[in-house]
Amino acid sequence: MPTLRSSSGPHSSSSPSSVSSSVQKSGQRGLSASSGCSVNQPQDERDWGHTSEGNSDSSSADEGSDFEDILRRSVKKRPAKRPLRTTPVAKQPKKRSRMVRDHHQKESEPPASDLFDAVKAAKSDMQTLVDDWVDSYKQDQDAGFLELVNFFIRSCGCKGTVTLEMFKKMSNSEIIRHLTEQFNEDSGDYPLIAPGPSWKKFQGSFCDFVKTLVCQCQYSLLYDGFPMDHLISLLTGLSDSQVRAFRHTSTLAAMKLMTSLVSVAVQLSMHKDNNQRQYEAERSKGPGQRAPERLESLLEKRKELQEHQEEIEGMMNALFRGVFVHRYRDVLPEIRAICIEEIGSWMQSYSTSFLTDSYLKYIGWTLHDKHREVRLKCLKALKGLYSNREVTARLELFTSRFKDRMVSMVMDREYDVAVEAVRLLIIILQNMEGVLTDTDCESIYPVVYASNRALASAAGEFLYWKLFYPECETKTVGGRERRRSPRSQRTFFQLLLSFFVESELHNHAAYLVDSLWDCAAPQLKDWESLTSLLLEKDQSACNGSLGQGDLSPTSVKPKTDIEQHRCHGWGELGSGGWLICDSLFDPPGNPDLGDVQESTLIEILVSSVRQASEGHPPVGRVTGKKGLTPKERKIQADDKVKLTEHLIPLLPQLLAKFSADAEKVAPLLQLLSYFDLKIYCTRRLEKHLELFLQQLQEVVVKHAEPAVLEAGAHALYQLCKPEFTFFSRVDFARSQLVDLLTDRFQQELEELLQSSFLDEDEVYSLAATLKRLSAFYNAHDLTRWELYEPCYRLLRKAVDTGEVPRQVILPALTLVYFSILWTLTHISESDVSQKQLLSLKGRMVAFCELCQSCLSDVDPEIQEQAFILLSDLLLIFSPQMIVGGCDFLRPLVFFPEATLQSELASFLMDHVFIQPGDLGSGDSQEDHLQIEQLHRRRRLLAGFCKLLLYGVLEMDAASDVFKHYNKFYNDYGDIIKETLTRARQIDRSHCSQILLLSLKQLYTELLQEQGPQYLNELPAFTEMRDLARRFALSFGPQQLQNRDLVVTLHKEGIKFSLSELPPAGSSSQPPNLAFLELLSEFSPRLFHQDKQLLLSYLENCLQHVPQAPGHPWGPVTTYCHSLSPLENTAEASPQGYPRSKKRRIKGPSRLNGEDISPSREESLQLSSIPPTPTLTSTALKSRQPLGGLEEVEEEEGSESEFTQGQRFSNTQRLRYSGPQRFHTPPNSSGPGLGSRLTRLSLMEEEEEEGLAAQDDSSEEWQETDKQPSSYSSPGEHRLDLLDSTELNIEDF
C-alpha cells in the first residue's frame, strides 16, 4: 500500500466507523511519498510475531455511528481538479441514446434503474455507459450519485431503493438497516449467485463496470471529495452487514474498486518518475540553457501529482482497512476467495508498495483455509509472485515461514489444489535456487505414481526440472533448439533408471512414463537410444558407463557410513541435482547390476511405446479428457509408424538376446500389440517377420511361465488375421508350433498312462507342454488337434487313482474347459445337428462330474481351479444361453443337482469365509501373500453369487452368504451388498425370507454350541444383533412398499422363537425365545398400527406357552418395548440413528415461552417446517457472534430462550462442536419484542462448513468478537499469528 502509514500499521483501523474520517481527510492523513514511491513501513510491521491489528474501541456499523458525520451534514464538495497537463483525457464519441431523464420526476423518488438493467443485459459498451452517467452526474450530482447507489443496491438483489430524502436525513447505518428490513426475499439467491442464463454474465459485467468507472473518472471525479468518498463509505457499511447478499456484493465491488485504484496509483507513480527525470534533466542544463518556466511547471506538476497520489492512497487505505481486513476471514468462502485473489493482483501490479511481509501474511494465513476455492486462490496468487524473478528476493522471509505449508499442500485432498501446489513449487524451484531441500523434494517424488493424471503429470514436471533438466537440457544455437546428443539421452535414461529403482515401485513403469510424458515426451520417444542401450554387445561397457561418471562431471566419491545410512528409500541427491543409487553403481563385474538395468529399461521401453501408440494414460489413472484432438491423433499416428519402423527389425534381435530370461522376454513380446502391422507388407519387411516367428517358437518351447506363454499366444493372435497378406505364412508357423507341442504331449501322455511311476523331469516336461497348449488354446482354436479325449483320460485317471501329479492336473482341467468352449463357439456359428448338441452336452456333463470330484481333492489349488471352472460352465450353460433367439441351444441347458449345489456351498464355507490373519504394514512378503489370497477368495465368492442371481443355484443358498455380511464386511461387504440388492430386485418377498433364514441359521448354530442359558449375553449374540440391524437398514426408506414384508418377517420370527417349548412343568423359557431380541432390530421399520397388531399376535402365541407368574421373560419384555407406542417408529428416527436437527418454529404460538413435552417435540419434528431464509438483519446484530446464532437456532427451548440467546454477551466465544446449551439471563423480554422476533425470521442460518472456516487456525479471529461488532477487525492481539503451534492449524 503506498504510504499507508499510521501508528499501528497498514490496517490499524479496526472498524468501518473510522473509514469516514480517513476518507474525508485523506489528503491530511496520507504522508508524502518519495519520488520513487518507496514505502516506509513501521518497524513493528516487519515483526511477524508481534503484528498490531488496530484499535479495539471502534463501534459497530449497526450502532448508528458509521459515517453519520458524513451524511448528516452538508458536505462541502471540493472542486474537481483539472486534468494532468501531460495526460490527455480520452476523447470518444458519446452516445446519448439512453439516460434521458424526466425532469418532472419528484425529488423524493430515485431515478429508474437504467444502470442495473444495462449491466445485467451486458450488451452496451461499458465505457459509453459510464460516460453517460458522468454527464448526468455533472448535471445533477445528487440524482446521479443516487442512481449509482441504487445500482449497487439492486446488484445486491434488494428491491428497496435509496431516495433523496433518505440520503439527506439518514445515516449510512440507518439506510442499511432500512434496506435490510425490506430484504424479505423468499429465496436466498441474489444476482452474483443466481442461476439461469440471464445472470450468467452478470458478475463479469459488474466488475467491468466498476473498473471502467474508475478508469473514466481518474482525471475528474476521482479527486472530487463527494462521489468516491461516499461510495467507499457505503460499500464499507454494506460489507459489514450480516445479510450475505449485501456482504458478498459490496465486498466484490470494494475489492474491484481497490484494484482499479491500484492501477491509477501505478500510473501516478510512473508519472512522478517521469516528472522527476525531466526535472533533473532540466536542472542539469547550463545557466544559459535552463528554462525557469519549465522548472516551475515541473514543480507545480509534481505537487499536483503528489496531491493526487495522497488522495488515491487515502481511498485505498480506507478500502483496505474497512473491507479487506474484515472480509478476508469472512464466514463465506466466496468472499474470502475474492479478497485473496485481489490482494494477489495488487502485489503483482504494485509490488513496490504491496509486496511486503505486512500484506503477504494474509495469503500465508489463508493457505490453511478449509475450502478448496480459497486455498486455490492463494496458490494462484503466489504463482504470479514467484514467477517474477525480480521480486523473489523480497519473498525470502515469507518463503521461510510458509514453505512447509506449501510443500504439504501437495497432498491436499482436493486434486486441483494439489496440482496448483506442485506447479507453485516448480516455479520456486526454477526461480529460487536452494530453497527447496532434499527432504522437501522427496515428499513430492512419490506423487508421480498418483492415480489422478493432472497431479501425477505436475509431479512429473517437478521431477524433470529437479533431476533431469540440469543434466539433459537442450542448448540453443542461433535461436534454434539443437538436437540432443546421444550422451545427453544416455544420461537421461540413466537418471530415470536410478529414480525408478530407488522408488521401489518397479511394477509401475507405465505410470512413471505417463507422468513424465507431457514434459519429457521427446526423450521418452527416443527409441533409438533405448534399443542401443539394450543391444550393446558388451554389457560391462554399459555397466561401466553407468558407474564411471556419465551422471556427473565429477566422479562419484565413496560414501561414508553416515551417508550410506541416509541413502535409503529415495537415495541421496548428488551435487548436480540427480539421484544417486548405490545399488546401480556397483563395479561392472556384478551380474545383478546388468539384470536390474535391463529389466528396467525394457519396462520403460514398453511403457513409452504403449503411451505413444494408444495415446491415453494407463489403466486406473483418471483423466478429464474425453478424447484426442485431431492434432493429437495425427501425432499418435505418426509416432506409431515411427516406432513400428524402428522396432520391427530390432525386435527379433531383442528376443534373441533375452530369450533365456522370462522376466525380460514377456514384455518384449507385448511390443507387437502396439505396432502398425500393415507395415510388414507395405515396407517389404517379411524377412523380419520370419525372424520374429522363429524367435517366438524358440521362446515358447523354452519357457513355461504363464506370463511368457500368454504374451506369445497373444502376439501370434495379432498376426493371425485373414486381412493380412502374410496370414498364410503365420498360420503355417502356428500349425508347426502346435504340431510340435501336440506330438510331444501325446508321447508323454502315453508314458504316463502306461507306467506307474514318473520321475520329476518327465512330470515337469508333461506339465510344461500342457501349460503351453492351454495358453495357446485360450487365444487360438485348436479343435482340429482333438485334445479333449486325451486330456479327459488323464483327468479320469487322476480322479480314479490319484496318481497324477498336481502340476499336470491343473493345465489339463483348463485344456478341457477351453475345448468345450471352442466347441460351443462352432455350434453357435453354424447349423448344428441334434447329435452334435448331445455330444457337447455329454462332454460338459462329464467334465462337471470330474470337477465335482476335484472339489473334494486334498490339494487346495485343484479345488479352487475346479470351483472356478464349474462356476463359469454352469453360468454359460444356464437358461440365459437361449436368450436372444438361441432356442436351438435349449438341449444344452444344464441344471446342477442338489448334491452339486451342496458341495459348492460347502466349498465356499471352507475356503472363503475363513478368518485371515492380521495384515502388517503391507510391505512384507507375508502381507502380499495374504492380499493375493484375499483376491482369490473374492473371486470365488463373486462366482458363487453370480450363480445365485442368474438362477443356477437355489436362492435359499444365499443365506450361507448373507449370514457372514457383518463379520466379513471389510473383505466382502461390497460383493454381499450388491448381491443383496440384486436379490431384492428379483423378488423382494423371497429376499426378506432369506434374511430371516440367515438369522435363524446363525441362532441355531450358536444355540447348539452354547446352549440356551445366558445366550443373549454372549459376544456372538451381539454380533447377530448387529447383523440384524444391518439387514434392517437394507430395506431402505421405502417403508410403504416394505410394510407387508416386515410384518411377515416379524410373524415368522415370532413363530420360530416359540417353535420349541420347554419341558412340561418347567419354568424355563423356550430355547429360541432370545430370537425376539434380534427381531426387535426390525421394529423401527414398522408402522404404529402394525406394532399394535404384532403385540396382539405375540400375546395370543404366549397364551399357549406355560410361564411362571410374576416372572416375565427378558426377551419378551425387550421385544414388547420395541413395539410400544413410545418407542421410535417408522415415522420418527429409528433407534440408534441420529435425529434430524430441531429447527425454530416460526409463529406467534411460540412467543409465550411455554415448555414443550417430549411427545409434542416429536410432533413438531414431524411437522412440515418451512425453510429458513438465508438472510439476516443488520439491525438486529446485538453484538452476537454468528456462531452463537446458529447454536441458538439448534436449541429445543422456547422462542423466548431463542430471544435471550440473541442478547448473549459477545465476549464469550463458542467453538462449534454440536448443539450446546445457552445459560441466558431471564430478563430477555422488553419493548418491541414482537417486531424483533418478526425481524428474526430474516436471520441467516449459516452452514456448518461456513463456521468451520473460522477454526482454530486463527486465534486472533476468535478474539475479534470481544469488540462491539461481530465483523470488526482484530484488536491489539500480540499472538504470533504465524506460529502453527499456537494456531493449532489443521492443514486439510
Side-chain angles (χ1 to χ4, degrees):
M1 183 76 66
T3 64
L4 305 182
R5 292 179 290 175
S6 62
S7 60
S8 59
H11 46 277
S12 60
S13 178
S14 61
S15 78
S17 63
S18 61
V19 177
S20 171
S21 59
S22 66
V23 175
Q24 290 294 320
K25 301 178 181 180
S26 59
Q28 289 79 7
R29 188 191 63 253
L31 299 180
S32 301
S34 63
S35 59
C37 292
S38 62
V39 180
N40 299 323
Q41 297 289 349
Q43 184 65 26
D44 59 344
E45 287 184 2
R46 303 290 298 183
D47 187 359
W48 290 61
H50 300 84
T51 304
S52 176
E53 289 292 341
N55 302 324
S56 60
D57 56 350
S58 58
S59 59
S60 171
D62 298 316
E63 294 299 319
S65 63
D66 58 339
F67 327 122
E68 291 187 13
D69 293 337
I70 302 174
L71 298 178
R72 282 184 175 175
R73 56 187 171 84
S74 176
V75 180
K76 183 177 179 181
K77 297 182 276 293
R78 296 191 299 270
K81 294 182 171 58
R82 65 180 183 275
L84 299 178
R85 297 174 183 174
T86 59
T87 308
V89 180
K91 298 181 179 180
Q92 292 190 4
K94 300 179 181 180
K95 301 179 181 179
R96 305 186 181 274
S97 59
R98 50 180 309 277
M99 301 283 289
V100 178
R101 303 185 177 277
D102 185 7
H103 295 286
H104 302 286
Q105 190 178 24
K106 296 181 180 179
E107 281 190 355
S108 61
E109 295 180 1
S113 57
D114 294 337
L115 281 177
F116 178 78
D117 295 335
V119 171
K120 177 184 175 183
K123 295 181 179 179
S124 59
D125 180 33
M126 205 62 67
Q127 183 174 343
T128 304
L129 184 66
V130 173
D131 289 342
D132 290 343
W133 176 83
V134 171
D135 292 342
S136 66
Y137 175 80
K138 291 179 179 178
Q139 295 176 7
D140 189 346
Q141 291 188 355
D142 291 340
F145 184 71
L146 278 181
E147 183 178 14
L148 185 63
V149 168
N150 285 315
F151 162 74
F152 285 106
I153 299 301
R154 284 289 307 276
S155 299
C156 295
C158 180
K159 297 297 179 63
T161 56
V162 180
T163 63
L164 185 58
E165 182 180 2
M166 295 169 56
F167 178 67
K168 291 182 177 180
K169 297 182 179 180
M170 299 173 66
S171 66
N172 268 8
S173 61
E174 293 172 344
I175 292 175
I176 296 174
R177 184 182 298 110
H178 176 74
L179 293 174
T180 300
E181 293 173 353
Q182 295 182 355
F183 209 145
N184 54 353
E185 300 297 319
D186 296 333
S187 172
D189 292 338
Y190 47 95
L192 288 184
I193 64 171
S198 61
W199 301 107
K200 185 177 182 181
K201 299 180 181 180
F202 178 78
Q203 182 169 347
S205 301
F206 180 79
C207 298
D208 291 342
F209 175 81
V210 176
K211 178 181 178 182
T212 309
L213 178 66
V214 176
C215 181
Q216 294 301 105
C217 297
Q218 63 177 317
Y219 305 120
S220 56
L221 299 182
L222 190 60
Y223 307 106
D224 183 359
F226 178 73
M228 283 300 168
D229 291 355
H230 286 68
L231 179 60
I232 292 173
S233 299
L234 178 66
L235 292 178
T236 306
L238 288 173
S239 69
D240 195 48
S241 171
Q242 288 188 8
V243 180
R244 177 180 298 188
F246 281 156
R247 205 166 69 250
H248 188 183
T249 309
S250 59
T251 302
L252 176 64
M255 292 296 97
K256 291 297 180 182
L257 183 62
M258 177 81 168
T259 303
S260 302
L261 291 176
V262 169
S263 301
V264 175
V266 171
Q267 294 182 13
L268 288 175
S269 178
M270 294 172 58
H271 291 321
K272 285 187 62 178
D273 292 341
N274 293 335
N275 177 271
Q276 182 67 24
R277 285 195 298 268
Q278 292 173 5
Y279 181 78
E280 296 294 337
E282 190 67 25
R283 286 190 57 186
S284 63
K285 294 180 181 180
Q289 299 178 351
R290 184 183 306 168
E293 298 81 3
R294 172 69 173 168
L295 289 175
E296 183 179 355
S297 64
L298 289 175
L299 288 174
E300 182 181 354
K301 180 182 175 183
R302 178 194 297 181
K303 181 179 179 180
E304 182 181 0
L305 289 172
Q306 184 69 27
E307 293 177 356
H308 288 180
Q309 187 176 31
E310 290 176 358
E311 293 191 32
I312 294 296
E313 290 169 358
M315 298 177 195
M316 292 191 298
N317 201 0
L319 284 171
F320 186 83
R321 296 176 181 178
V323 180
F324 179 88
V325 171
H326 312 286
R327 299 281 70 79
Y328 88 96
R329 56 169 190 237
D330 193 275
V331 71
L332 195 65
E334 289 84 353
I335 296 179
R336 303 199 299 272
I338 290 172
C339 294
I340 296 302
E341 182 180 14
E342 296 307 315
I343 195 175
S345 66
W346 307 338
M347 292 177 180
Q348 294 181 45
S349 58
Y350 202 8
S351 60
T352 305
S353 297
F354 284 98
L355 194 59
T356 62
D357 299 333
S358 299
Y359 300 106
L360 282 169
K361 62 185 178 184
Y362 293 107
I363 297 182
W365 293 337
T366 320
L367 285 172
H368 298 272
D369 197 276
K370 286 187 175 296
H371 285 78
R372 57 165 293 278
E373 182 183 359
V374 184
R375 300 196 302 273
L376 204 59
K377 294 296 184 183
C378 291
L379 292 172
K380 290 182 178 179
L382 292 176
K383 279 177 59 181
L385 297 177
Y386 282 101
S387 298
N388 189 355
R389 287 180 177 267
E390 298 177 358
V391 302
T392 52
R394 301 162 65 180
L395 295 170
E396 291 181 355
L397 178 58
F398 174 85
T399 305
S400 64
R401 298 305 300 268
F402 292 101
K403 183 190 67 172
D404 293 340
R405 172 58 183 162
M406 290 186 285
V407 173
S408 68
M409 292 180 76
V410 173
M411 307 304 294
D412 196 277
R413 61 185 176 186
E414 302 291 344
Y415 282 127
D416 51 353
V417 177
V419 170
E420 288 298 326
V422 176
R423 290 174 179 169
L424 172 62
L425 294 175
I426 292 174
I427 296 174
I428 295 175
L429 179 67
Q430 295 171 345
N431 296 339
M432 299 183 71
E433 184 178 356
V435 171
L436 295 178
T437 63
D438 296 348
T439 304
D440 298 332
C441 297
E442 289 172 8
S443 64
I444 305 172
Y445 293 154
V447 185
V448 297
Y449 298 103
S451 60
N452 183 273
R453 190 181 190 277
L455 178 58
S457 181
E461 186 178 356
F462 180 89
L463 176 66
Y464 176 80
W465 284 99
K466 177 63 179 177
L467 299 184
F468 303 130
Y469 182 79
E471 296 300 317
C472 309
E473 59 179 320
T474 305
K475 306 297 182 182
T476 57
V477 178
R480 289 187 176 182
E481 188 178 278
R482 190 177 63 182
R483 180 178 174 86
R484 294 176 178 83
S485 64
R487 181 181 179 84
S488 175
Q489 286 297 107
R490 179 185 292 269
T491 303
F492 173 81
F493 287 114
Q494 290 164 352
L495 292 172
L496 187 60
L497 281 175
S498 300
F499 175 81
F500 185 57
V501 173
E502 283 293 324
S503 66
E504 298 180 356
L505 292 171
H506 303 168
N507 297 327
H508 297 82
Y511 297 91
L512 176 60
V513 169
D514 180 62
S515 300
L516 293 169
W517 194 257
D518 293 341
C519 58
Q523 292 94 324
L524 292 171
K525 290 192 288 188
D526 188 3
W527 297 296
E528 296 179 2
S529 299
L530 269 172
T531 51
S532 64
L533 285 172
L534 289 171
L535 290 174
E536 285 183 350
K537 295 182 179 180
D538 186 4
Q539 183 62 37
S540 63
C542 178
N543 296 339
S545 65
L546 283 172
Q548 297 175 0
D550 279 350
L551 292 179
S552 172
T554 60
S555 60
V556 181
K557 299 180 180 180
K559 291 185 174 65
T560 63
D561 294 339
I562 298 178
E563 290 173 337
Q564 290 177 359
H565 177 70
R566 290 174 55 194
C567 189
H568 70 280
W570 287 99
E572 187 173 347
L573 289 173
S575 59
W578 51 86
L579 201 66
I580 299 177
C581 172
D582 290 340
S583 61
L584 290 181
F585 293 91
D586 292 340
N590 188 351
D592 295 335
L593 177 64
D595 184 68
V596 172
Q597 291 181 356
E598 289 170 351
S599 299
T600 306
L601 275 179
I602 289 174
E603 287 187 56
I604 294 173
L605 171 64
V606 175
S607 300
S608 63
V609 167
R610 188 209 61 80
Q611 187 85 8
S613 177
E614 296 182 349
H616 59 76
V619 177
R621 177 155 283 180
V622 181
T623 178
K625 296 180 64 176
K626 295 182 178 179
L628 301 178
T629 63
K631 181 179 180 180
E632 291 173 339
R633 284 195 294 268
K634 185 178 184 303
I635 294 176
Q636 175 190 356
D638 295 342
D639 289 341
K640 191 170 185 177
V641 172
K642 179 181 177 181
L643 68 89
T644 304
E645 292 177 346
H646 175 72
L647 291 176
I648 279 180
L650 299 179
L651 184 56
Q653 302 178 34
L654 292 171
L655 290 175
K657 180 175 182 179
F658 302 108
S659 61
D661 194 333
E663 184 180 355
K664 300 183 181 68
V665 77
L668 287 174
L669 288 172
Q670 297 174 8
L671 287 173
L672 198 71
S673 302
Y674 311 117
F675 287 179
D676 184 1
L677 298 178
K678 296 180 181 178
I679 293 181
Y680 274 116
C681 309
T682 57
R683 305 297 169 86
R684 300 181 180 276
L685 300 175
E686 288 84 355
K687 62 178 181 179
H688 298 292
L689 178 62
E690 292 287 350
L691 294 175
F692 173 76
L693 293 175
Q694 294 176 9
Q695 293 299 326
L696 177 62
Q697 181 172 347
E698 292 183 8
V699 168
V700 170
V701 172
K702 188 179 297 184
H703 293 279
E705 290 78 4
V708 177
L709 297 177
E710 291 175 6
H714 184 70
L716 196 59
Y717 173 79
Q718 295 289 331
L719 296 172
C720 290
K721 295 183 179 179
E723 60 266 22
F724 293 142
T725 57
F726 52 79
F727 169 72
S728 58
R729 189 175 306 176
V730 178
D731 184 54
F732 178 74
R734 178 177 60 180
S735 300
Q736 280 185 322
L737 178 59
V738 177
D739 286 339
L740 175 64
L741 296 177
T742 305
D743 293 342
R744 183 180 297 180
F745 167 62
Q746 295 288 356
Q747 179 180 357
E748 294 171 345
L749 177 62
E750 292 299 328
E751 296 177 359
L752 175 64
L753 296 177
Q754 292 178 4
S755 62
S756 58
F757 176 78
L758 290 176
D759 56 16
E760 293 182 2
D761 294 338
E762 294 174 339
V763 171
Y764 174 82
S765 178
L766 177 58
T769 304
L770 286 171
K771 290 178 182 178
R772 299 180 184 111
L773 287 173
S774 176
F776 276 83
Y777 217 159
N778 187 15
H780 304 268
D781 184 10
L782 307 184
T783 306
R784 57 193 176 102
W785 279 273
E786 298 180 356
L787 296 174
Y788 176 84
E789 290 297 336
C791 290
Y792 182 79
R793 289 165 50 203
L794 179 63
L795 292 175
R796 175 52 62 186
K797 180 179 180 180
V799 171
D800 294 341
T801 63
E803 298 177 355
V804 181
R806 173 189 60 84
Q807 56 268 37
V808 175
I809 297 177
L810 291 175
L813 286 170
T814 310
L815 268 174
V816 176
Y817 170 75
F818 287 136
S819 175
I820 294 174
L821 293 188
W822 278 110
T823 305
L824 178 61
T825 303
H826 291 300
I827 291 177
S828 303
E829 293 176 353
S830 60
D831 296 335
V832 63
S833 62
Q834 192 72 11
K835 181 179 179 181
Q836 291 177 315
L837 291 175
L838 295 177
S839 174
L840 176 59
K841 179 71 173 290
R843 288 188 173 187
M844 192 272 296
V845 172
F847 180 66
C848 288
E849 292 176 353
L850 284 176
C851 291
Q852 184 177 354
S853 302
C854 292
L855 288 177
S856 57
D857 196 275
V858 294
D859 190 278
E861 290 189 23
I862 295 178
Q863 290 179 324
E864 290 185 9
Q865 184 75 358
F867 182 87
I868 293 173
L869 298 180
L870 258 179
S871 301
D872 291 346
L873 277 181
L874 292 177
L875 191 61
I876 293 171
F877 287 88
S878 67
Q880 299 291 329
M881 73 182 309
I882 63 176
V883 177
C886 298
D887 290 339
F888 66 95
L889 296 178
R890 188 176 297 276
L892 295 179
V893 176
F894 177 72
F895 293 96
E897 298 179 354
T899 55
L900 178 57
Q901 296 188 36
S902 176
E903 290 192 29
L904 289 174
S906 300
F907 174 84
L908 198 72
M909 298 302 105
D910 297 337
H911 293 80
V912 174
F913 294 110
I914 55 177
Q915 199 67 37
D918 295 332
L919 282 176
S921 61
D923 299 330
S924 64
Q925 190 67 27
E926 294 181 359
D927 292 340
H928 286 293
L929 182 60
Q930 288 190 24
I931 293 174
E932 290 297 328
Q933 292 175 352
L934 177 60
H935 283 304
R936 287 203 302 269
R937 292 195 296 269
R938 285 174 58 86
R939 182 183 177 188
L940 297 175
L941 178 60
F944 185 83
C945 291
K946 284 190 290 185
L947 294 178
L948 293 171
L949 296 176
Y950 281 95
V952 179
L953 304 179
E954 294 293 337
M955 188 59 75
D956 289 342
S959 62
D960 293 329
V961 177
F962 294 160
K963 66 184 181 182
H964 296 95
Y965 188 19
N966 197 58
K967 186 175 182 180
F968 292 89
Y969 185 81
N970 293 332
D971 294 337
Y972 316 120
D974 54 339
I975 299 176
I976 301 177
K977 181 179 179 180
E978 183 67 19
T979 305
L980 179 58
T981 303
R982 297 290 182 90
R984 180 171 283 111
Q985 293 173 357
I986 296 172
D987 191 339
R988 302 177 68 88
S989 176
H990 195 191
C991 181
S992 63
Q993 295 301 317
I994 295 173
L995 296 181
L996 182 61
L997 178 61
S998 302
L999 294 175
K1000 289 180 180 179
Q1001 291 176 353
L1002 284 175
Y1003 183 87
T1004 304
E1005 293 173 3
L1006 183 62
L1007 185 64
Q1008 293 175 353
E1009 293 177 3
Q1010 304 294 337
Q1013 297 297 326
Y1014 305 106
L1015 191 66
N1016 53 357
E1017 298 178 2
L1018 297 174
F1021 189 83
T1022 304
E1023 294 181 1
M1024 279 193 287
R1025 290 201 65 163
D1026 295 338
L1027 177 63
R1029 185 178 300 114
R1030 194 178 291 275
F1031 283 166
L1033 283 173
S1034 68
F1035 281 95
Q1038 299 86 6
Q1039 58 186 57
L1040 189 59
Q1041 298 179 11
N1042 298 323
R1043 181 176 184 179
D1044 295 339
L1045 303 180
V1046 178
V1047 171
T1048 303
L1049 186 144
H1050 275 270
K1051 288 184 176 181
E1052 295 296 330
I1054 293 173
K1055 292 179 182 179
F1056 174 75
S1057 62
L1058 301 176
S1059 59
E1060 296 184 15
L1061 300 179
S1066 174
S1067 61
S1068 60
Q1069 66 182 28
N1072 295 339
L1073 194 64
F1075 190 79
L1076 290 176
E1077 295 191 20
L1078 303 181
L1079 282 183
S1080 65
E1081 299 295 337
F1082 295 89
S1083 297
R1085 299 293 169 180
L1086 291 168
F1087 284 90
H1088 178 69
Q1089 301 88 335
D1090 298 332
K1091 289 187 175 184
Q1092 297 296 331
L1093 295 175
L1094 286 173
L1095 279 174
S1096 302
Y1097 181 78
L1098 178 62
E1099 291 176 1
N1100 294 333
C1101 295
L1102 288 175
Q1103 292 177 0
H1104 306 285
V1105 180
Q1107 183 179 3
H1111 297 281
W1113 290 322
V1116 176
T1117 303
T1118 301
Y1119 184 63
C1120 291
H1121 182 67
S1122 70
L1123 297 178
S1124 63
L1126 296 180
E1127 274 297 296
N1128 295 324
T1129 60
E1131 296 89 345
S1133 299
Q1135 184 179 4
Y1137 310 120
R1139 293 175 178 267
S1140 60
K1141 295 181 180 178
K1142 293 186 173 69
R1143 298 174 181 256
R1144 295 179 288 108
I1145 307 300
K1146 297 185 295 184
S1149 61
R1150 295 292 302 276
L1151 297 181
N1152 298 326
E1154 64 272 10
D1155 294 334
I1156 301 175
S1157 63
S1159 60
R1160 178 60 177 164
E1161 288 186 6
E1162 290 197 6
S1163 65
L1164 287 177
Q1165 181 184 358
L1166 298 175
S1167 63
S1168 177
I1169 303 175
T1172 305
T1174 58
L1175 303 175
T1176 182
S1177 172
T1178 304
L1180 297 172
K1181 279 198 321 181
S1182 302
R1183 307 177 184 179
Q1184 168 76 29
L1186 188 59
L1189 295 179
E1190 182 171 353
E1191 301 287 354
V1192 177
E1193 288 181 2
E1194 298 295 335
E1195 285 297 297
E1196 302 177 20
S1198 63
E1199 191 62 44
S1200 62
E1201 294 175 340
F1202 179 77
T1203 310
Q1204 296 164 12
Q1206 293 297 315
R1207 303 175 61 88
F1208 188 67
S1209 174
N1210 62 354
T1211 60
Q1212 185 175 357
R1213 292 298 298 168
L1214 293 176
R1215 286 205 179 104
Y1216 186 82
S1217 60
Q1220 299 180 11
R1221 296 288 177 181
F1222 277 59
H1223 300 284
T1224 56
N1227 53 347
S1228 61
S1229 61
L1233 180 59
S1235 61
R1236 291 174 62 86
L1237 291 175
T1238 303
R1239 294 174 186 175
L1240 282 175
S1241 63
L1242 295 174
M1243 275 303 183
E1244 180 178 27
E1245 185 176 278
E1246 295 290 355
E1247 299 177 357
E1248 183 176 350
E1249 291 183 356
L1251 290 171
Q1254 299 180 348
D1255 70 337
D1256 298 343
S1257 64
S1258 300
E1259 292 291 330
E1260 75 281 13
W1261 299 357
Q1262 308 292 341
E1263 293 293 331
T1264 60
D1265 286 312
K1266 296 180 180 179
Q1267 303 175 12
S1269 173
S1270 63
Y1271 284 92
S1272 60
S1273 63
E1276 294 183 358
H1277 183 52
R1278 298 286 181 176
L1279 174 65
D1280 187 356
L1281 300 179
L1282 301 180
D1283 191 346
S1284 60
T1285 305
E1286 296 188 47
L1287 292 178
N1288 189 19
I1289 289 171
E1290 293 180 15
D1291 290 348
F1292 304 108

